[in-house]
Amino acid sequence: MKFFKLTEYFERLEATTKRLEMFDILAELFREASPEDIDKIIYLSQGQLTPPFEGIEIGMSEKLLVRALSEAANTPTKKIEDLFRHTGDLGLVAEKLITGGQKPDVAQVYKELRTIAETSGKGSVEQKINLLSSLLRGVSAKEAKYIARFVIGRLRLGIGDPTVLEALALSEGDRGLRPELERAYNLCSDLGLVAKTLKTKKIEGVRKFKVHVGYPIRMALCERLPSSEDIISKIGRAAIEAKYDGFRCQVHKDGERIEIFSRNLERTTHMFPEIREAAKALPVKTAIFEGEALAYNETTGELLPFQVTIQRKRKHGIEAIAKEYPLKFFAFELLYADGIDYTEKTYLERRKKLESIIKDNPVIEPAEMFETDDPKEIYKYFEEAVERGLEGVVAKRLDAPYTAGSRNFNWIKLKRSYKGELADTVDVCVVGYFMGKGARARFGIGALLGAVYEPETDTFKTVSKIGSGFTEDEFTELKKMLDAIALKHKHPRVDSVMEADVWVEPKYVVTVTADEITRSPSHTAGKDSEGVGYALRFPRAVGFLRDDKNPEDANTVKEIIEMFEQQRKVKVT
Ligand code: ATP
């Protein structure tokens, strides 16, 4: 496919705000794409070069783009900056200035963008500028517009993963294929690979999809219930594990090669040298397992709070911090070992194999676990766990498989709750902000507009206006970060009746605690036919931003409604 053709699709996608129309346009695009191009087209449409877990970024700032444009169009940077100030969109500036006529293929443009991304080290800035300017010089105005937006991360067509899956199913003329596509996606986290498999091997090929070491598996998540009685009546005899409060890691071992992925499937191997070494020593050739990494006191064996563990999150000086705060890794799931896919096996089978692999290891140990059908025993253990600084417990259904990428009652969490507070915090995605009044006005930001996610429509529905919980410095920092992703209009994936002073791209997630959930006409989450949705009462932010979560990892509308239902029946056991 010609890249020009792809930009015509981009234009059509941009022009619509209707989700259904968007699915149709994308399905048409996917049908037209060749098996060689389809993965690249999907990555590009989502503003990426590869699936996010590969961590390949183009590494160009607006400044560098201005310089590349200046070279490509033989125009002084000053003039480009003026135009940029005027339009606020370097894509439009590029469209105005670039007049080339060649129409390269998608594969060619992709290859050149990839070369730019892979250029690093000394002198790479100049090299990147040169590469980009020569790419821009050869293309037409419309192509330049989208390339410019792409390289600075401003493509923003609003195409989330569920939208791609839906459109892929549609492109085969059968929406009923979506669950099978989703299953494959959950096993490899690579929409390009799923699409390519569909194109080349049809749905039969997708059905045969298996776990691959090196491709992160989308993580299973917990449902919540208010009491241990509820848990036993829901799933019967269960495995009760400690709920550790650290970093969730998915470790992939392929001989001596170890990769570690975070909660949102980013490659974080460099952060955990001791887990890497410890994983090499395990008595299996290949394996995928999950667990929680926590800082601990080597002398007393005591686990340290999350604020200590999180210091590991840095680019440099890992060795020093690893010495100061060594980690323990509590493994709670085995997903693959020596050619066998354990995601399909029952909890008990997975656990048995996990225990046989992980023993006498100085860093990695199996998570604490016992089996019971007695709510009192769960509650007793829960109290002790909380006393020891753990977050609570996770109950797991004994005969359930590992359900990749899904939140269901195979895992149920029970967390500490305080009187007058919701039993659990809520993660919301920031979709806009308000300037604030009075003393706040001087920061130019007084409250955030938070939204929860609705996977069925792949949209964000507002649930809360969050004006407390942040320090003045944090508000200042937030304003800077949000202004960098500000939009002229509400983002197409956001549904809101409130008018934010500044709309932003859904990108950042904040954890919020609140007194309760109420019904409210001001918000769109769970809105009924009378226009009444759900809202958080007295919300306050906990911590700063959750950078281990993607926008789609915010809580869902369905969960908010469940929490609303549950708060009416919470018992104090
Ligand atoms: P939370 O804020 O509760 O961590 P979450 O959305 O990240 O919310 P949940 O589904 O609520 O995830 O809880 C699962 C999380 O709990 C996992 O992502 C993992 O990090 C952590 N965890 C700690 N101990 C365990 C365990 N034994 N089994 C499964 N998950 C555990």
Side-chain angles (χ1 to χ4, degrees), residues 18-28 30-31 42 46 158-183 185 191 194-195 198 203 453-458:
K18 297 199 194 81
R19 306 301 299 169
L20 291 179
E21 214 170 281
M22 196 162 189
F23 293 148
D24 287 337
I25 300 171
L26 272 177
E28 195 185 320
F30 295 162
R31 250 193 311 270
I42 289 179
Q46 292 194 299
I159 305 171
D161 298 350
T163 301
V164 173
L165 287 165
E166 182 76 22
L168 273 175
L170 266 182
S171 75
E172 291 287 303
D174 182 359
R175 290 187 61 201
L177 300 182
R178 162 115 187 236
E180 292 177 280
L181 294 169
E182 200 152 346
R183 185 197 78 93
Y185 173 52
L191 284 170
V194 175
L198 181 66
I203 196 69
Y453 182 54
E454 189 174 73
E456 297 77 15
T457 52
D458 196 16

Side-chain angles (χ1 to χ4, degrees), residues 502-516:
V502 178
W503 293 108
V504 302
E505 183 188 342
K507 175 166 180 170
Y508 298 116
V509 174
V510 176
T511 300
V512 181
T513 173
D515 285 4
E516 59 175 340

Side-chain angles (χ1 to χ4, degrees), residues 144-365:
K145 170 167 92 176
Y146 288 104
I147 291 175
R149 285 185 186 162
F150 180 88
V151 295
I152 51 169
R154 299 229 166 193
L155 193 59
R156 295 183 184 151
L157 298 172
I159 305 171
D161 298 350
T163 301
V164 173
L165 287 165
E166 182 76 22
L168 273 175
L170 266 182
S171 75
E172 291 287 303
D174 182 359
R175 290 187 61 201
L177 300 182
R178 162 115 187 236
E180 292 177 280
L181 294 169
E182 200 152 346
R183 185 197 78 93
Y185 173 52
N186 286 334
L187 294 182
C188 71
S189 311
D190 183 345
L191 284 170
L193 181 63
V194 175
K196 219 180 178 87
T197 310
L198 181 66
K199 277 257 170 202
T200 49
K201 304 193 180 135
K202 293 289 158 201
I203 196 69
E204 292 71 35
V206 173
R207 265 180 214 132
K208 289 199 194 110
F209 227 88
K210 287 254 176 294
V211 165
H212 281 289
V213 177
Y215 282 87
I217 300 170
R218 296 184 25 94
M219 300 196 183
L221 298 167
C222 310
E223 273 289 351
R224 50 174 79 71
L225 281 174
S227 74
S228 45
E229 284 84 1
D230 288 308
I231 292 178
I232 295 301
S233 53
K234 181 92 190 168
I235 61 171
R237 187 174 175 81
I240 307 300
E241 295 182 355
K243 189 172 197 297
Y244 300 94
D245 193 9
F247 290 121
R248 181 163 184 180
C249 299
Q250 191 179 87
V251 184
H252 288 235
K253 171 180 163 70
D254 186 359
E256 291 280 291
R257 224 191 116 137
I258 309 293
E259 290 288 2
I260 301 174
F261 297 102
S262 66
R263 163 82 163 72
N264 56 347
L265 312 182
E266 276 170 11
R267 209 182 286 259
T268 49
T269 318
H270 71 281
M271 273 167 52
F272 307 107
E274 64 271 72
I275 299 177
R276 202 170 56 210
E277 287 312 308
K280 283 185 192 168
L282 295 177
V284 267
K285 209 164 159 303
T286 54
I288 305 175
F289 56 95
E290 267 181 17
E292 198 87 356
L294 268 82
Y296 83 113
N297 181 327
E298 272 181 308
T299 329
T300 60
E302 185 193 5
L303 298 175
L304 298 175
F306 187 66
Q307 291 83 315
V308 178
T309 307
I310 197 159
Q311 295 189 39
R312 201 44 93 89
K313 206 171 174 77
R314 54 174 74 192
K315 282 214 167 73
H316 307 288
I318 294 282
E319 297 295 337
I321 199 86
K323 226 183 212 136
E324 193 176 347
Y325 296 114
L327 295 179
K328 268 267 176 238
F329 186 82
F330 297 95
F332 50 68
E333 284 291 341
L334 178 78
L335 307 181
Y336 182 85
D338 285 338
I340 300 175
D341 183 350
Y342 278 84
T343 60
E344 291 162 9
K345 308 220 179 269
T346 66
Y347 172 85
L348 284 176
E349 288 169 299
R350 295 196 303 275
R351 177 77 194 192
K352 194 163 154 226
K353 183 72 181 175
L354 179 83
E355 287 177 7
S356 79
I357 295 172
I358 296 175
K359 50 184 176 205
D360 309 325
N361 187 295
V363 176
I364 307 176
E365 53 184 82

Side-chain angles (χ1 to χ4, degrees), residues 5 56 64 99 124 129 140 176 189 194 229 247 273 304 318 351 363 377 416 435 488 505 507 511 564:
K5 182 94 212 172
I56 293 188
L64 299 191
T99 49
S124 62
I129 294 174
S140 66
S189 311
V194 175
E229 284 84 1
F247 290 121
L304 298 175
I318 294 282
R351 177 77 194 192
V363 176
E377 249 185 87
R416 221 171 346 177
M435 303 286 192
K488 285 215 185 89
E505 183 188 342
K507 175 166 180 170
T511 300
F564 175 79

